[in-house]
Amino acid sequence: MSDKTDPKNKIILELNTEIKHWERLFNSSETPMMILDSNFEIMKANTAMLAFLDKPLDEVIGKACHKVVLETRMPIESCPLEKMKATKKREEVELYFPKKDKYIIVSVDPSLDEKGDIFQVIHSLRDITYLKKAQNQLLLSENRFRQVTENAQEWIWEVDAQGLYIFSSQAVENMLGYSQEEIVGKKYFYDLFHPEAKDGQKKEAFEIFAQKNKFRYFLNMNMHKNGRTVWVMTSGTPILDSNGALLGIEALIAISPLRKISRSP
């Protein structure tokens, strides 16, 4: 029977308590994790990792990482472990797992001995599927929006709270003769108003913007790049921040059927 008052036994007891505490934390983590030896063979795997792999512990321990995680005979070219061997620092890579339809960030963190050699590696997985699919959906939406704006006859634009163009569709060139590059970040919406009506229309437009409501069919007189007068109708929606402050306006402009399309200035 061991003497618990013996200093050596006390140290061993405290050490075992710490190990059990660490193992509880390791297994209770929702992050899939493994501990690899210097040959990158699996020494430990927590509950979350076993659930991700859908394998029991005895089918994992002692196996090469790539054979278990990726089910490949050899490490893949982008394997972070291979890069970590050279850098001896944390490395990570984004991988797609087709069988699970998941995008995963694979991270590896080396533990170095007193000689600077790798003796253990913490291997973890972070599921970014939701973020990746959201990004893909956003990209798809942006492509659809671009296709719509490029093919629409109406001029679609966006200005900031001061009225500076921050987006313009290609239709502006057919309507007013300016390219997108000539107005985005360079001109304010009222710069395109006809000089005869500029002051009044500018005042009226900012009064409408201040109401922070959607507006439709704001009739205004613009000047084409070549000097022609062009009557248009503007419908727009305010862009507000979380506190209700005006950030800008999204709008659509169509040639007005109610006035002459052009006349001599």
Side-chain angles (χ1 to χ4, degrees):
M1 186 174 180
S2 62
D3 184 1
K4 293 184 178 179
T5 61
D6 187 305
K8 291 183 179 179
N9 290 335
K10 188 177 180 182
I11 291 173
I12 292 172
L13 184 63
E14 289 177 353
L15 204 58
N16 286 334
T17 301
E18 285 296 320
I19 290 172
K20 288 179 181 178
H21 177 65
W22 178 87
E23 287 182 341
R24 282 197 298 271
L25 290 176
F26 182 66
N27 282 309
S28 63
S29 174
E30 295 182 359
T31 301
M33 291 189 290
M34 300 188 296
I35 299 177
L36 313 179
D37 63 19
S38 57
N39 295 316
F40 304 151
E41 293 180 349
I42 302 168
M43 299 170 61
K44 289 182 179 292
N46 71 353
T47 304
M49 179 62 82
L50 295 176
F52 177 83
L53 298 173
D54 195 22
K55 296 179 184 293
L57 188 62
D58 59 3
E59 290 185 15
V60 169
I61 299 299
K63 302 289 180 63
C65 174
H66 62 272
K67 291 182 178 180
V68 174
V69 178
L70 301 176
E71 298 180 337
T72 58
R73 293 179 60 188
M74 299 293 292
I76 61 174
E77 186 177 351
S78 59
C79 175
L81 288 168
E82 296 301 312
K83 188 174 182 180
M84 186 202 65
K85 279 199 297 188
T87 65
K88 295 185 179 180
K89 295 180 180 179
R90 176 186 176 90
E91 298 292 346
E92 61 182 29
V93 67
E94 179 186 313
L95 296 176
Y96 176 64
F97 289 73
K99 288 184 178 180
K100 297 180 180 294
D101 189 26
K102 289 184 179 294
Y103 292 90
I104 303 292
I105 296 290
V106 179
S107 302
V108 291
D109 291 274
S111 296
L112 308 179
D113 61 20
E114 63 277 3
K115 295 180 181 179
D117 296 324
I118 298 171
F119 72 92
Q120 277 186 357
V121 179
I122 302 294
H123 183 295
S124 61
L125 308 178
R126 179 159 53 94
D127 190 345
I128 59 166
T129 305
Y130 178 80
L131 176 62
K132 195 72 176 179
K133 290 187 174 181
Q135 290 174 337
N136 291 341
Q137 190 62 41
L138 178 60
L139 182 60
L140 180 62
S141 296
E142 289 176 345
N143 288 337
R144 287 174 177 169
F145 175 74
R146 187 175 63 252
Q147 289 172 355
V148 169
T149 59
E150 287 177 353
N151 289 282
Q153 292 184 348
E154 295 84 3
W155 173 24
I156 300 170
W157 54 253
E158 182 179 338
V159 297
D160 63 17
Q162 289 70 48
L164 181 68
Y165 287 109
I166 57 177
F167 171 79
S168 171
S169 66
Q170 294 177 349
V172 64
E173 191 157 4
N174 290 330
M175 192 174 291
L176 295 177
Y178 294 93
S179 67
Q180 295 166 294
E181 292 76 19
E182 287 179 292
I183 67 169
V184 173
K186 298 174 182 176
K187 289 187 180 295
Y188 294 82
F189 72 90
Y190 49 81
D191 290 334
L192 304 184
F193 286 162
H194 195 286
E196 293 178 5
K198 182 175 182 178
D199 291 342
Q201 289 181 168
K202 177 181 176 182
K203 181 175 181 293
E204 187 177 358
F206 275 113
E207 288 174 350
I208 292 173
F209 293 177
Q211 295 173 15
K212 302 177 185 178
N213 294 321
K214 292 183 179 180
F215 59 92
R216 300 182 68 187
Y217 310 135
F218 171 56
L219 183 65
N220 53 97
M221 183 169 59
N222 286 244
M223 180 179 282
H224 193 281
K225 188 177 180 180
N226 66 11
R228 289 189 296 112
T229 298
V230 181
W231 287 93
V232 300
M233 291 190 302
T234 305
S235 299
T237 302
I239 304 169
L240 308 177
D241 67 12
S242 57
N243 296 316
L246 183 69
L247 298 177
I249 299 289
E250 291 178 330
L252 180 147
I253 288 184
I255 294 292
S256 172
L258 304 178
R259 303 292 295 267
K260 289 183 179 180
I261 292 177
S262 66
R263 62 176 173 81
S264 300

